[in-house]
Amino acid sequence: MNDHPPGAVISLRDVSVSLPEGSDRKYAIRNVSFDLKAGEILCVVGESGSGKSVTAQAIMGLLPGNLRCESGSIQFAGRDLLRVDDTERRAITGRQIAMIFQEPTAALNPVFRVGDLVAETFRIHTKLSGTQIRQKVLDLFREVRLPEPERLYNNYPHQLSGGQCQRVMIATALALQPQVLIADEPTTALDVTTQAQILKLLLDLRRETGTSIIFITHDFGVVAELADRVAVMRHGEVVEIGTHQQVLQHPQHDYTKALIAAVPKLEAGAPRTFNGPAVLQATHIRKSFRSGGNFFSRGRSVDAVADVDVTLHRGETLGLVGESGSGKSTLAQCIIRLIDPNAGEINIDGVRFSDLDKKALRHARAKIQIVFQDPYSALDPRQKIGEAIAEGPMIHGMYGGEARTRARSLLKDVGLDPEAFDRYPHEFSGGQRQRICIARALALDPLLLIADEAVSALDVSIQAQILELLAKLQKERAFAMLFITHDLRVASKICDRIAVMRQGRIIEQATPADILLHPQQDYTRELLAAVPGAQHRESA
Amino acid sequence: MLRFWLVKLLRATVTLWLVVTSVFIVLRTSGDPVQSLLPPDATIEEIEQFREAWGLDRPLTEQYAKYVVNMATGDFGKSYRDGRQVTTIIAERVPWTLFLGLTAYAVAVLLGVPLGILAAIRRNTFVDRLIMSFAVFGFALPNFFFGILLILLFSLNLRMLPSSGTGTWMHVIMPAATLGLTTAGALARFTRSAMLDVLGKVYIRAAAAKGVSFAGRILRHALPNAAIPVVTVMGLNLGALLGGAIVVETVFAWPGVGRLLVSSVSSRDLAVVQALVLMIAATMVVANLTVDLLYGVLDPRIRVASKD
């Protein structure tokens, strides 16, 4: 076998990384082999735990202390990266192979000015003078389309938006024109419009500089926009690798087929009509926050929610869609009065919710339940999951025995074994935990269920299952659902109506079909265009 | 920024006023100075004369008002014992305490911070466990006991160091070690956990991905971030060192303010006690203000936000 085929910049051959004893499997990655060709974008796709990040870390020599590379080779520029010493390694990382990370705000050291962070790369690897370096950094800032490079140079990371931080990271990575850029989920934490800009930037940079890119993602939409070739990983192994066309259009492996099928598409579900009485009627909701105030001045006021009306019928699902900071979560919290709105009236099931005192509110809240984004932090690690589900009804007056029986039947309803009652949260996967959270929310027979980014943290295949579960349960129990998401694809799949939020206002509200086919607002069109994979589908 | 500091200053003033007031109340309710200062066979006239001379015959409210005004104007009065100005008496002692305290502080910082960093870098190894065992030993052991152990070993058994008093540089070794090592233990633990927290951050991995050397990652990237919580502890410890000096100075017969405080309390020399307690409180307040100031220097998120 030729270890380093011509045209390949990096060649991985049978790379295995073992996990510490006591893990759920022996290897983080096992016999991973692939080539990265000059100037190509290779997307590595897989769900959480598939080993895609470990593969990137193995190439960079950044494996955490408890992981060890067992065998295999990573050929780069005539050397095996698994067998270079520290000095050689440092000459390669940052200079010839660079990396960008998932959370741009966390990847920039908060005590450094962003300009100095980029300058550091030059200082380590070159002998340029301070003025020359500064000029280089400013040029890079322009190259990654950062606004006002001169001013930004002296800013600290916390003064930049997430998208700007990622541009700074990309500037750092591209500083010395590396042959290879490894991007580990670089757009996952960003809003869709920002994501679209960063993806375009990476495509432009590849065209201009010819850098080869390994792009790690869980999102097939992103793959469709970016990839020349695709490697699909599962349980630490590469199950399929091929060109963009081969993998996306004619997947061979069952797992790839399942993954692609699970990707939510921008398609409206079948329309339903609702004539019953409104479960939720909120009018003129307004909430503003003060910022920058102190002992002497009150600071300025920011409208998080500005004059919003929401109506929701029994059995209906309303999607609140918007980017971070658009006010969608604040609105939901106002509706259930986790925070008190400044103005507005809220009626839930005929009760004027906005006027209730504390005690009455506590009682009335049983009718509204929330499922949160992160199923890992939403469950008390020291409480048996059955008890967690039974707790709500017991607080509201149900006898223990009855509540526990009910909890068992709910576990069955959400697709878990009723015998799981006595187990603790850490024994479950993310998707199972979200099922438990849903069971807990439904234990009180709510009229209104608020799902706050409830599927955003889950892998696509799990996401699809949870969405199906929610739809099924809604059909059986006819609760109204307020579905908060940043993902138009998810919203279009499950919602009867979609409300697009921006800067605290609902700027457009219509059925998914209308939003997708006849968007009225420019911003909605922008959001639609930014959905990864959208352009690809149009051209296909 | 100016407002920020005005608020801080106002708070500090209120704190000092509270301390001044509680000292007044505590000292007046805990016993009569006349009984401990005058001989038991003093005549009633003598007692009355003493009370009048020190204003102890006036109503409490008047005493309080006079006391607060005097404190505010820096007039701490005269010692009941020998009639000298309190400020003069304290001024004689302050350099000794400062000398001991700062030496001990240097020991604490120069030992505690590097050991904490080392323990973090070598986490879960023998080195880490060794350092942490010493740290726990350091701050679990009461310093009067530790001081006595040192005297036993180095003065009585080995006869290497003088057991008490002043005179040569050798006299400062044991008191400074006693005071410094206990603080070093606490600092090492804090530095270790702050460093561990920072070393797990993505930006440290990002620095490695840039090719920053190991030393560069620790010293340039991790340390300034870990310093933020560590500085808080260092500030609080500076105050605690002065408090600890009371015990250590007594054990080693060190002529500082700590010993002065102990002797003044037992002889109910109110004027001196009041001034000393106020001084210690002021040191704490200044230490805290300094920490606040350092926060701004260390953490741009605080500095830059308060500029806006």
Side-chain angles (χ1 to χ4, degrees), chain A residues 227-230 242-251 260 536 540:
Chain A
D228 298 320
R229 284 194 311 137
V230 185
T243 62
H244 176 283
Q245 193 77 6
Q246 284 166 346
V247 176
L248 290 181
Q249 308 296 334
H250 312 287
I260 294 175
H536 169 77

Side-chain angles (χ1 to χ4, degrees), chain A residues 302-324:
Chain A
V302 181
D303 284 333
V305 177
D307 199 21
V308 169
D309 297 340
V310 180
T311 309
L312 199 50
H313 296 89
R314 220 173 143 68
E316 185 186 27
T317 301
L318 170 67
L320 278 182
V321 178
E323 299 193 292
S324 49

Side-chain angles (χ1 to χ4, degrees), chain B residues 237-255:
Chain B
N237 272 320
L238 186 61
L241 272 183
L242 290 175
I246 297 171
V247 177
V248 172
E249 286 180 6
T250 311
V251 171
F252 290 97
W254 187 262

Side-chain angles (χ1 to χ4, degrees), chain B residues 82-124:
Chain B
D82 54 11
R84 288 160 68 211
Q85 282 292 331
V86 169
T87 37
T88 322
I89 297 175
I90 294 179
E92 284 168 5
R93 305 293 194 104
V94 163
W96 289 106
T97 297
L98 273 184
F99 176 50
L100 173 59
L102 292 180
T103 314
Y105 199 62
V107 170
V109 173
L110 293 179
L111 215 61
V113 173
L115 283 179
I117 295 173
L118 187 63
I121 297 172
R122 298 260 173 273
R123 174 170 47 152
N124 294 338

Side-chain angles (χ1 to χ4, degrees), chain A residues 393-518:
Chain A
M394 278 157 70
I395 287 171
H396 288 277
M398 191 183 278
Y399 286 110
E402 191 187 346
R404 291 194 181 94
T405 316
R406 215 176 128 81
R408 284 200 168 79
S409 93
L410 273 164
L411 279 172
K412 195 158 161 258
D413 291 349
V414 296
L416 294 172
D417 184 355
E419 296 309 309
F421 186 97
D422 286 320
R423 290 163 62 189
Y424 289 92
H426 71 266
E427 300 174 58
F428 298 90
S429 69
Q432 288 173 323
R433 284 183 210 215
Q434 202 58 304
R435 286 170 190 268
I436 296 165
C437 291
I438 291 170
R440 180 175 66 177
L442 294 181
L444 284 159
D445 261 332
L447 289 166
L448 173 61
L449 184 71
I450 295 177
D452 192 351
E453 299 276 8
V455 296
S456 307
L458 305 174
D459 284 324
V460 276
S461 57
I462 312 293
Q463 196 175 56
Q465 292 166 10
I466 297 290
L467 286 175
E468 242 164 64
L469 174 70
L470 281 171
K472 180 190 110 179
L473 291 168
Q474 189 184 39
K475 207 179 255 175
E476 291 164 11
R477 291 158 186 259
F479 51 81
M481 182 152 67
L482 190 61
F483 194 91
I484 300 171
T485 181
H486 66 280
D487 193 336
L488 262 171
R489 294 173 292 183
V490 171
S492 68
K493 188 168 178 182
I494 193 167
C495 299
D496 300 301
R497 273 182 302 137
I498 293 177
V500 180
M501 281 196 80
R502 189 189 195 190
Q503 290 166 359
R505 291 171 198 282
I506 291 181
I507 57 163
E508 180 163 6
Q509 189 170 171
T511 61
D514 282 342
I515 292 269
L516 297 187
L517 299 173
H518 317 289

Side-chain angles (χ1 to χ4, degrees), chain A residues 57 60 62 90 93-94 101 106-112 117 120-121 123-125 156 158-159 172 295-297, chain B residues 3 6-7 10 202-203 205-206 208-214 220-222 224-225 228 298 300-301 303-305:
Chain A
Q57 287 162 0
M60 288 299 288
L62 289 178
R90 277 218 311 284
T93 42
F101 296 84
L108 297 177
N109 194 329
V111 304
F112 284 85
L117 278 172
E120 191 178 26
T121 313
R123 251 182 263 124
I124 298 168
H125 297 286
Y156 287 95
H158 73 275
Q159 296 172 296
T172 314
F295 192 77
F296 296 98
S297 82
Chain B
R3 282 175 176 172
L6 278 176
V7 174
L10 195 71
V202 183
Y203 53 75
R205 253 197 303 147
K210 260 197 260 182
V212 180
S213 65
F214 181 72
R220 261 172 58 73
H221 283 267
N225 282 288
I228 296 163
L298 290 171
R301 283 164 293 190
R303 178 175 8 131
V304 180

Side-chain angles (χ1 to χ4, degrees), chain B residues 156-264:
Chain B
L156 290 176
N157 286 340
L158 299 175
R159 303 203 168 272
M160 284 167 64
L161 295 168
S163 67
S164 68
T166 57
T168 65
W169 62 270
M170 288 180 55
H171 282 91
V172 80
I173 294 178
M174 283 201 297
T178 311
L179 206 50
L181 287 178
T182 44
T183 314
L187 265 183
R189 269 199 81 93
F190 262 96
T191 308
R192 176 183 182 268
S193 59
M195 277 302 274
L196 281 182
D197 186 42
V198 172
L199 287 176
K201 299 274 190 213
V202 183
Y203 53 75
I204 298 297
R205 253 197 303 147
K210 260 197 260 182
V212 180
S213 65
F214 181 72
R217 293 201 300 271
I218 299 292
L219 298 176
R220 261 172 58 73
H221 283 267
L223 199 56
N225 282 288
I228 296 163
V230 170
V231 158
T232 318
V233 182
M234 275 169 58
L236 293 176
N237 272 320
L238 186 61
L241 272 183
L242 290 175
I246 297 171
V247 177
V248 172
E249 286 180 6
T250 311
V251 171
F252 290 97
W254 187 262
V257 289
R259 245 179 101 210
L260 177 64
L261 181 64
V262 172
S263 65
S264 303

Side-chain angles (χ1 to χ4, degrees), chain A residues 249-275:
Chain A
Q249 308 296 334
H250 312 287
Q252 298 301 309
H253 198 280
D254 287 344
Y255 178 68
T256 314
K257 287 179 194 164
L259 265 188
I260 294 175
V263 175
K265 297 185 178 55
L266 261 182
E267 307 172 331
R272 304 187 289 179
T273 46
F274 302 91
N275 304 317

